[in-house]
Amino acid sequence: MQKLILSEILLCSVRDKAAKKVKFDPIRTVIHGKNDTGKSSLIKSIYQAFGASPARQNPKWKAVQPTILIRFEINNSSYSILKEGKYYAVFDGQDKIIRVFNSVVNQLGPFLAELLDFKIRLPNQAGEIITPPPAFIFLPFYIDQDAGWTDSWSSFSNLAMIKSYREPIVYYHTGIRPNEYYDTKAEIDRYYVAIEELESDRKTSQGILNNIREKLSTVDFNIDIEIFKEEVGELIIEFEKLKKKEEKHKETLVELHNAKLIIEAHIEISKEAIKETDKDYNYADRKEEHVIHCPTCGAEYENSFIERFEIAKDTDKCRELLQELSGEKLEVEDKITKENQLLNKSMEELEKIEALLQKTKGDLQLRDIIENEGRNEVRKIFDQRVTEINKAIYDNAIKQDDLKKKLNAIGDKERKQEITGEYQRLMAKYLRDLEVFSLTGNDYKNIASKINDTGSSKARALIAYYYSVFNIIQKYSTSFFCPIVIDSPNQQAQDIDHIDKILLFVKDNQPEGTQRILGLEELYGIDFECEMIELSEKYHLLQTGDFDEVYTELRPYLDQLFSSSGSLFS
């Protein structure tokens, strides 16, 4: 089975001049920290970097809006993903930018779905069939401290955008409906579209044929030149309107490109200013005298820490201005992209009008032919067209039926029964191991059913459910296995015996060959035999002492993001 493995996470706040860097073991990592040390904020940031926002966030942490960079591997190929404000960027193993995204649903989601072989497509609340956003890729693998212990498959926000998502997403991840099922379903849908288009063509052709038969049976066929001229005139008027719209779009594009050139000029000025202030600082820093002479005008200045500090502050301001200008450049490039789309649409409409004009001219030629060839030839032409369409519809329907049979075979009852039976067996075992006796087989009969329990036993029942699903995914799923991220499994005031059972269960039942990141407030004397990340300072997950190192490491990624051309945007 294909796997995604996390290597490390970098968090940085330029506003607070503070940062944090954490390396992940490829198999097991424990993040240990008491309340308010930032443990959950760190854990919530992991999948947030991939566009999957947690169901709940600490308001203070949300206000920080740190830059997040995660390095990861997919089948031994290295990548990085950067989240900076509303922008995301993916980099290859050589840290070269692959693509930039400013929309999670329409851009980043489809990209990650392709990268992680996530084939399922589902209706949103508007009834449109879309690729579900990244939250649905990672949904079974993340147990949020706040939402994940209330209900399963609910740890991310905005899940309701996909209509009735629970059962299809559960069936997909557990392999009841594998990737092949959705590949086949997509082929069937393409035939639906093709048949609908042919049906529309047949309806039009049959209508024309019926109309011709009716008219030719009662009157001679003559060309009405005046009506013909009137129809052409209307098309030409519409053509001129569209030409004016096209010119307007071009004018707007010129203005936007001019604005982009101005911003780029300001960026170059800012870069030069940074270079000059860096030179000033380095010059002042090298001088050991209390007084230095200006290399430009010869004036004398006191060579003190305050002067050097002011130069350094100017450098920071220039860098902040450079980032602001880079953001403005990205926004202008986004507007240019949208305006180009409007221009292309306008040009497409112009092409349609031209096609209609050509067709109208063609109609005149056809009528001349009709007049020369006679009524029977007309009927023959349209009869043949309708026959060809009928044959095409039949051929497509046959292929579609074959695919439906294939789809039924993929999602057959035997496969579902096998997977469901294995899930029920695991649930029964794990519930017993965790001493949950309040549930019967009917309570977890369906793999997509909710765990309806109360009190301290609910958390233990949810752990049994999660680990049953993990093992089912590992055995049957055709998609990726992502890192298991569990935050604070000690829920609902467990007594000490049950706390030990929970933590030992989580430790000992990790599916073989997977990566697990576990967040804990207390270790209760258990040796997890893995990498331990200790967080001890309250309200300071990000450390000022780590800022220079982390920001220096992030700078090349940020520079590529803010200097990206519009062609890198999805």
Side-chain angles (χ1 to χ4, degrees), residues 246 250 342-352:
E246 181 185 24
K250 289 180 179 177
L342 291 173
L343 177 60
N344 290 335
K345 184 178 179 182
S346 179
M347 293 174 69
E348 288 174 2
E349 291 175 350
L350 280 169
E351 289 174 1
K352 289 179 183 177

Side-chain angles (χ1 to χ4, degrees), residues 532-548:
M532 302 290 294
I533 307 299
E534 185 79 22
L535 303 177
S536 57
E537 190 172 347
K538 281 199 170 188
Y539 311 114
H540 287 90
L541 169 62
L542 305 184
Q543 300 287 308
T544 55
D546 295 337
F547 176 75
D548 288 342

Side-chain angles (χ1 to χ4, degrees), residues 407-418:
L407 190 70
N408 290 333
I410 295 168
D412 66 6
K413 290 183 179 180
E414 288 185 8
R415 179 181 178 84
K416 181 179 179 182
Q417 287 173 353
E418 179 186 347

Side-chain angles (χ1 to χ4, degrees), residues 221 223-236 351-368:
F221 194 93
I223 302 169
D224 191 331
I225 296 297
E226 293 304 317
I227 293 176
F228 178 81
K229 288 180 179 178
E230 185 179 337
E231 290 174 352
V232 172
E234 290 173 355
L235 288 173
I236 291 173
E351 289 174 1
K352 289 179 183 177
I353 294 293
E354 288 180 334
L356 284 172
L357 284 167
Q358 293 298 323
K359 182 178 181 298
T360 306
K361 294 175 183 177
D363 285 344
L364 179 59
Q365 295 168 1
L366 176 61
R367 291 175 183 182
D368 291 335

Side-chain angles (χ1 to χ4, degrees), residues 72-99:
F72 62 97
E73 291 183 1
I74 295 176
N75 299 332
N76 298 319
S77 294
S78 298
Y79 299 89
S80 300
I81 188 165
L82 175 73
K83 182 183 185 304
E84 167 64 11
K86 70 174 184 177
Y87 295 104
Y88 297 81
V90 175
F91 301 81
D92 63 19
Q94 286 71 48
D95 295 331
K96 299 299 182 184
I97 197 163
I98 298 173
R99 194 154 298 282

Side-chain angles (χ1 to χ4, degrees), residues 152-185:
S152 57
W153 306 89
S154 62
S155 289
F156 293 115
S157 64
N158 299 321
L159 297 175
M161 72 171 295
I162 298 296
K163 189 184 297 184
S164 304
Y165 72 87
R166 189 182 185 91
E167 183 172 288
I169 285 293
V170 174
Y171 280 11
Y172 172 79
H173 279 291
T174 57
I176 291 175
R177 290 180 180 168
N179 268 330
E180 188 183 2
Y181 178 94
Y182 293 96
D183 283 335
T184 305
K185 191 173 185 299

Side-chain angles (χ1 to χ4, degrees), residues 233-280:
E234 290 173 355
L235 288 173
I236 291 173
I237 291 171
E238 185 65 20
F239 185 87
E240 292 301 323
K241 288 181 181 178
L242 288 170
K243 285 293 289 183
K244 289 179 181 178
K245 284 176 64 177
E246 181 185 24
E247 293 302 320
K248 181 65 177 176
H249 289 314
K250 289 180 179 177
E251 290 173 4
T252 303
L253 279 169
V254 170
E255 293 173 0
L256 288 170
H257 279 290
N258 287 339
K260 179 183 174 184
L261 288 172
I262 292 170
I263 293 171
E264 288 175 339
H266 290 170
I267 287 173
E268 290 304 315
I269 292 170
S270 299
K271 287 180 178 177
E272 289 300 316
I274 289 172
K275 290 180 183 177
E276 292 302 319
T277 50
D278 283 343
K279 288 179 183 177
D280 290 344

Side-chain angles (χ1 to χ4, degrees), residues 69 257 345 424 498 508 549 560:
L69 178 80
H257 279 290
K345 184 178 179 182
Q424 291 169 348
H498 283 138
D508 296 337
E549 178 188 350
Q560 289 186 74

